[in-house]
Each structure stands twice: as structure tokens, then as C-alpha cells.
């Protein structure tokens, strides 16, 4: 079957670094996405990985290991505004029916 | 502002009724995706249209249907509504068939009473 696991909640301190893990089991893997969603708002795109390795974009980095079915999102120099839910999503399926399967999200609380 | 417009923002209706949710994608985007988000199930992919044609289908109920019009706006029709259909419905759009980055609208919060 298809399954995406990520921790339900995490807490971190302003200015610190936090790593949010995501493990997945899927067939026909075609990319992994991270989105940020503030409460009551729309998800916004953070990163996309399709090959193994680290993608860095400012304070945010995302890592993928396809052989391990594993990704993480690394947030550096945490700010209060980073308090949000972080959604891991995997794209899979045959070429004519690819879709995103979403994890339930990790709710991150950044404390002063 | 993502550039994706969804109307209405809120909708309250009774069980058994039918509603239509509307989505206008970003200018230039040909793909439109519909998602349902509830507290216990997270984001669930419903359906994707690309340039007017159905492209991919998720766990969309038979009571639900969608279409994309020639001007690329899309509508999601929900019929025979049940209490369990209460959720946030998001529309997203992207330029191509396979989104490496999709832009989400602010959602329509549907409450079925």
C-alpha cells in the first residue's frame, strides 16, 4: 500500500535548528514535496526532491533518500513565524495518473 | 496571495443538498487540482484537470464531480451531502501537467448540518 509517516507534533526554540522527518512507502515514486501550512490558511510550497541528496533554499533544506524511503526538512535560525504545520507529500503512480499522497502533517511550535 | 481564487469562502448547507465550489487558477496555469482536507484525514487528492481534460483521479466519491471549462476555471460539484463531507476544500493550480510547484487557493470551508 501507500503510506506516509511524519511526527504529529514538534517543539523548538527560536533561533534553533529543527529537523522534521518523513518516511514513505509507495510504488512508482516520482518526487517528494514539502509544504508549509499555517492554521486556517492554504498550503504553500517549500521544496521538491526527486533525486537523492540535499536541496537548500535559504533557511530551509530538504533531503531525500529514495532507497530508504526517507526525507527530512531542516529549518535553521527558527523564527516565531515558522510555527505551522509541515506537510510531506509523495507523487506516485503511472504516467497518466500521477497524484500526490499527503502525510497528516507535523505541527511545529516555535517558542521564544 | 497565490493568484488562485476560490469561491465561496464559507458555505453552510443541509444534508442531502448539492453545492458547487468554484476555482479560478493563476493566469497561465493549465492544471487545476481539487483537494479535501479534514482534521482526521489530512489533505486528500480528489481530481486533476489539465487544459480541460481529466488528468488524474484520487479517492473522489461518486457523489462528487468536477469539470474544467474552456477559460480554465473549474467547478467541483458535491451532491447528496452528508455530515462527513464537512471539510476544507482546496483548489490548486500549476503550469504543467505534473506540478513541481502548485499554488493553493484559500479554500472553501463547507459545513453540512
Amino acid at each position: 500500500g501507500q503510506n506516509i509517516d511524519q511526527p504529529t507534533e514538534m517543539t523548538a526554540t527560536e533561533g534553533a535548528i529543527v529537523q522534521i522527518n518523513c518516511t514513505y512507502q509507495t510504488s512508482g515514486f516520482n518526487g517528494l514535496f514539502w509544504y508549509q501550512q499555517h492554521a486556517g490558511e492554504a498550503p504553500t510550497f517549500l521544496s521538491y526532491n526527486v533525486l537523492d541528496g540535499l536541496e537548500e533554499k535559504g533557511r530551509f533544506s530538504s533531503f531525500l533518500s529514495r532507497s530508504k524511503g526517507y526525507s527530512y526538512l531542516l529549518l535553521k535560525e527558527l523564527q516565531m513565524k515558522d510555527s505551522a504545520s509541515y506537510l510531506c507529500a509523495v507523487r506516485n503512480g503511472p504516467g497518466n495518473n500521477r497524484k500526490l499522497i499527503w502525510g497528516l502533517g507535523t505541527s511545529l511550535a516555535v517558542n521564544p | 496571495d497565490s493568484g488562485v481564487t476560490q469561491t465561496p469562502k464559507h458555505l453552510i448547507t443541509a444534508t442531502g443538498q448539492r453545492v458547487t465550489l468554484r476555482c479560478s487558477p493563476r493566469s497561465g496555469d493549465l492544471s487545476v487540482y481539487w483537494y479535501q482536507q479534514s482534521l482526521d484525514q489530512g489533505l486528500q487528492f480528489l481530481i486533476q484537470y489539465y487544459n480541460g481534460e481529466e488528468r488524474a483521479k484520487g479517492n473522489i466519491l461518486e457523489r462528487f464531480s468536477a469539470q474544467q471549462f474552456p477559460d480554465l476555471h473549474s467547478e467541483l460539484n458535491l451532491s447528496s451531502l452528508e455530515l462527513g463531507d464537512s471539510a476544507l476544500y482546496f483548489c490548486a493550480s500549476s503550469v504543467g501537467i505534473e506540478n513541481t510547484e502548485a499554488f493553493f487557493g484559500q479554500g472553501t470551508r463547507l459545513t453540512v448540518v
Side-chain angles (χ1 to χ4, degrees):
Chain A
Q2 299 168 114
N3 199 40
I4 296 179
D5 287 313
Q6 47 181 136
T8 305
E9 295 178 338
M10 296 184 72
T11 303
T13 304
E14 194 174 13
I17 298 173
V18 71
Q19 178 175 311
I20 303 174
N21 296 324
C22 171
T23 58
Y24 63 88
Q25 294 174 312
T26 185
S27 56
F29 176 85
N30 192 254
L32 186 142
F33 299 76
W34 284 97
Y35 276 77
Q36 179 192 62
Q37 185 176 25
H38 285 98
E41 297 184 10
T44 55
F45 172 83
L46 291 177
S47 69
Y48 168 70
N49 296 68
V50 68
L51 300 176
D52 291 351
L54 188 68
E55 295 281 341
E56 296 185 83
K57 192 189 287 187
R59 294 189 298 115
F60 293 3
S61 303
S62 58
F63 171 82
L64 174 67
S65 168
R66 289 171 297 170
S67 63
K68 295 181 180 177
Y70 167 70
S71 171
Y72 67 72
L73 179 70
L74 193 70
L75 292 75
K76 304 175 186 174
E77 300 169 17
L78 281 171
Q79 302 174 9
M80 299 296 288
K81 68 178 182 178
D82 297 330
S83 293
S85 183
Y86 291 85
L87 307 174
C88 173
V90 171
R91 183 167 65 200
N92 72 345
N96 60 351
N97 195 32
R98 289 209 171 110
K99 46 197 150 188
L100 287 189
I101 310 298
W102 296 76
L104 292 179
T106 298
S107 180
L108 173 67
V110 179
N111 298 318
Chain B
D1 182 6
S2 68
V4 179
T5 304
Q6 287 187 248
T7 57
K9 287 190 169 54
H10 301 276
L11 197 49
I12 301 175
T13 190
T15 54
Q17 294 298 306
R18 171 189 169 95
V19 297
T20 297
L21 312 184
R22 183 187 168 99
C23 170
S24 293
R26 288 190 325 155
S27 176
D29 284 359
L30 298 179
S31 274
V32 168
Y33 311 80
W34 285 99
Y35 290 94
Q36 180 192 58
Q37 187 174 39
S38 57
L39 282 174
D40 57 343
Q41 292 200 338
L43 263 172
Q44 299 288 316
F45 167 71
L46 297 178
I47 198 163
Q48 176 198 358
Y49 281 84
Y50 175 78
N51 203 21
E53 299 290 324
E54 183 182 304
R55 173 65 185 174
K57 211 166 185 176
N59 297 326
I60 187 167
L61 299 172
E62 286 191 10
R63 300 184 286 111
F64 296 0
S65 65
Q67 55 183 330
Q68 186 179 29
F69 295 87
D71 67 352
L72 301 177
H73 91 271
S74 179
E75 291 181 357
L76 178 67
N77 300 296
L78 314 176
S79 61
S80 303
L81 285 167
E82 302 174 359
L83 295 178
D85 297 327
S86 295
L88 199 49
Y89 290 84
F90 284 109
C91 165
S93 74
S94 67
V95 173
I97 287 178
E98 293 187 342
N99 59 312
T100 52
E101 179 172 358
F103 296 84
F104 281 73
Q106 289 302 305
T108 293
R109 182 167 294 283
L110 174 67
T111 303
V112 183
V113 298

